[in-house]
Amino acid sequence: MSNLTLRLEKEDWDRVRALLEELGFKGLPRDCVVWYLTDGSNHATLYSSGTLLIQGKRAKEVKDLILSSLGTPEEVLIGCDESGKGDVFGPLVLCCAVIKPEYYRRVLSLNMKDCKRLSDEAVLKKASDFRSFGEYKCRLVEPKELNELYERKKNLNRILDELYVGLLEEFLKRYPEGRFSVDAYSSKSPFDGRVSFIHKGEEDLAVATASVLARAGFLRWLENRGLPKGSSKEAMALARRIYREDKERAKESLKLFFL
């Protein structure tokens, strides 16, 4: 039995349910899901995250039919998010993902969502899949550069303001009619009215895609250097030891303003 997933935007939930019911699927009660439908041998379960799980021998056929029924946005979607902000080791990685109408359904098929809901392996796989066809741009700020920026600005959110404005400049010129969204990281937006600064931004498909791309870049950086994620007691203890023993290495591998 195949197990396939795709992402459904909220405006499509009822329409997809109606489509499945036309195909002979019937709804049955199931806890902790938006809806569950089955035709006896194939099953479709929609979760509140927007993930639709399709199971059964005809799972691929059902998935392809659903995707073909979905509309596509008329405008280009551009979403941005960052990773590494809360980790003592590693860079700050900002990414903007571009979702064009011609590959919108393909991104839905990847079931992009907030990277915090995914395993590291899934993050790396989804990022690789998107990079094979999608447009994007990332800015990886090495710890040394980030530490120097922090010495001058003393505020990580103001650093993000500057970096995002620079990262989006090219896309704002290239896609003047695009829909721009950035996951809100502070209470005040640094952007003009062309860019939406949204809380819980990963609910937006383009922002979720950017989240995955940024996290993948961050994870690869740590893996290449054998350094831990997060800011646990163990990670902080290692960071302090490196700082005591080799301050130059510390500048190049960790965020000194965490210490």
Side-chain angles (χ1 to χ4, degrees):
M1 182 174 69
S2 297
N3 293 273
L4 302 177
T5 61
L6 62 90
R7 172 172 172 146
L8 285 184
E9 302 294 76
K10 282 189 176 180
E11 59 266 27
D12 294 319
W13 289 5
D14 291 341
R15 184 174 4 146
V16 169
R17 176 170 187 155
L19 172 66
L20 291 171
E21 289 174 341
E22 288 178 8
L23 295 173
F25 283 71
K26 297 185 183 299
L28 294 175
R30 179 164 288 189
D31 293 337
C32 303
V33 301
V34 178
W35 45 253
Y36 166 73
L37 294 94
T38 180
D39 64 0
S41 58
N42 299 280
H43 316 275
T45 308
L46 179 65
Y47 297 90
S48 59
S49 64
T51 292
L52 179 65
L53 172 64
I54 307 168
Q55 300 169 292
K57 292 182 178 180
R58 294 174 51 231
K60 186 178 186 306
E61 178 186 341
V62 173
K63 179 178 179 178
D64 290 345
L65 183 62
I66 291 171
L67 285 170
S68 67
S69 75
L70 298 176
T72 58
E74 295 182 359
E75 73 272 38
V76 175
L77 311 178
I78 301 96
C80 306
D81 202 358
E82 76 278 345
S83 186
K85 185 179 178 182
D87 299 75
V88 62
F89 285 102
L92 181 64
V93 184
L94 297 83
C95 288
C96 293
V98 178
I99 301 180
K100 299 179 180 180
E102 56 263 35
Y103 57 75
Y104 171 80
R105 292 190 184 106
R106 196 168 177 182
V107 180
L108 291 178
S109 182
L110 292 179
N111 190 24
M112 287 295 195
K113 52 188 173 182
D114 182 359
C115 67
K116 293 185 286 295
R117 294 173 174 258
L118 298 167
S119 67
D120 291 350
E121 293 76 12
V123 165
L124 294 169
K125 176 66 166 60
K126 289 178 186 290
S128 176
D129 287 344
F130 180 82
R131 288 196 301 268
S132 70
F133 65 85
E135 184 180 354
Y136 66 96
K137 185 175 182 180
C138 294
R139 171 81 157 87
L140 189 150
V141 187
E142 295 280 352
K144 185 175 182 180
E145 179 186 359
L146 185 58
N147 287 321
E148 291 171 354
L149 286 169
Y150 196 86
E151 282 186 14
R152 295 202 305 270
K153 291 187 175 289
K154 305 298 184 185
N155 188 302
L156 191 54
N157 288 336
R158 301 295 75 79
I159 294 171
L160 284 168
D161 290 348
E162 180 180 306
L163 294 172
Y164 271 125
V165 168
L167 190 60
L168 277 168
E169 183 178 10
E170 176 187 343
F171 288 138
L172 286 164
K173 292 177 181 176
R174 188 183 305 172
Y175 302 110
E177 303 303 321
R179 192 180 83 196
F180 291 82
S181 302
V182 176
D183 186 38
Y185 49 82
S186 66
S187 58
K188 183 179 179 181
S189 172
F191 309 107
D192 60 26
R194 293 177 296 172
V195 180
S196 297
F197 198 58
I198 52 177
H199 293 280
K200 296 185 179 179
E202 292 87 353
E203 294 179 2
D204 177 273
L205 179 63
V207 173
T209 303
S211 165
V212 168
L213 292 170
R215 192 63 180 173
F218 177 77
L219 290 172
R220 286 196 302 271
W221 193 98
L222 288 183
E223 182 180 5
N224 290 338
R225 292 157 180 80
L227 293 169
K229 300 178 293 182
S231 54
S232 64
K233 290 182 179 179
E234 294 77 12
M236 291 300 296
L238 176 61
R240 293 188 181 99
R241 180 169 64 80
I242 291 174
Y243 182 76
R244 288 194 305 269
E245 296 176 355
D246 189 341
K247 288 184 172 53
E248 194 57 38
R249 181 191 173 198
K251 290 179 184 177
E252 296 177 353
S253 61
L254 62 94
K255 302 173 183 73
L256 297 180
F257 48 88
F258 270 54
L259 301 182

